[in-house]
Amino acid sequence: HLYSITGNIHIPEKLVEMMDTNPFVASNNSSFTADADNSRYVVENGALYDMAATHKWLIAYPNAAEAEEVIVKEGIIRIGGSAFYRNPNIKEVILPDSMLQIGNSAFSESAIETIEIPSSVKYIYGSAFANASSLKTVYLKSTSFTQFTSNNTFIGLAPNSIIYTES
């Protein structure tokens, strides 16, 4: 992990691979930029994406960004581990119908208040929403195919949180 980074984090053209979880989890950066000649890593609406042909995923969203809503790019299949971890400003994340997985600690300890999880999501990994104490409303569009890989996925939510499901 890259600690104590503030300001912008630039992804150079030559960077060819990042690990499977947010390497910037402990940073307090306000933005990402990616070299225009880097076809694998792109930044859209503040989010850093890995656009590799086999696994398009959202790697990270800057913790010091002021946006309260993030719309995840269509075609993205995974929210990476710790992508929004401890993000103090994010209130709502809108996931596309292409989404298949939500990674470990993806929203843990963040300020997220509401999320709709599309029926396309098959896996929600451990601690994905753990201690997201501002999370009030979760809409699970389907429960028939979603697999929680841990029993602590929603641990530490506010007592008045509501999880809705569709039948």
Side-chain angles (χ1 to χ4, degrees):
H1 299 287
L2 304 173
Y3 297 100
S4 303
I5 296 175
T6 59
N8 181 61
I9 295 175
H10 181 73
I11 308 302
E13 173 189 2
K14 303 267 186 224
L15 184 64
V16 293
E17 189 168 6
M18 280 191 235
M19 58 202 298
D20 197 34
T21 192
N22 178 1
F24 312 107
V25 69
S27 72
N28 196 31
N29 65 304
S30 56
S31 62
F32 291 106
T33 55
D35 194 289
D37 293 326
N38 188 326
S39 60
R40 180 164 181 175
Y41 298 103
V42 299
V43 176
E44 279 191 31
N45 297 321
L48 175 63
Y49 294 98
D50 182 339
M51 299 303 291
T54 56
H55 62 279
K56 294 174 173 48
W57 60 291
L58 187 151
I59 299 169
Y61 192 80
N63 275 351
E66 294 180 5
E68 293 185 356
E69 178 185 86
V70 173
I71 299 172
V72 177
K73 176 183 174 73
E74 185 60 49
I76 298 302
I77 63 169
R78 182 166 46 116
I79 300 290
S82 302
F84 293 91
Y85 179 74
R86 289 192 174 169
N87 188 300
N89 299 315
I90 202 69
K91 305 287 186 234
E92 181 175 14
V93 176
I94 299 171
L95 303 176
D97 287 335
S98 58
M99 187 64 54
L100 298 175
Q101 303 173 7
I102 298 174
N104 289 326
S105 302
F107 297 96
S108 290
E109 300 182 37
S110 71
I112 191 165
E113 294 177 356
T114 184
I115 190 164
E116 181 175 297
I117 300 173
S119 59
S120 57
V121 172
K122 304 299 181 207
Y123 299 97
I124 300 177
Y125 290 94
S127 302
F129 296 93
N131 299 311
S133 58
S134 297
L135 186 57
K136 304 283 188 272
T137 310
V138 178
Y139 297 97
L140 290 172
K141 300 301 276 184
S142 172
T143 57
S144 60
F145 297 105
T146 301
Q147 177 180 346
F148 298 102
T149 63
S150 171
N151 62 0
N152 63 355
T153 300
F154 293 104
I155 196 168
L157 297 188
N160 59 345
S161 297
I162 300 173
I163 299 176
Y164 296 98
T165 61
E166 286 187 9
S167 51

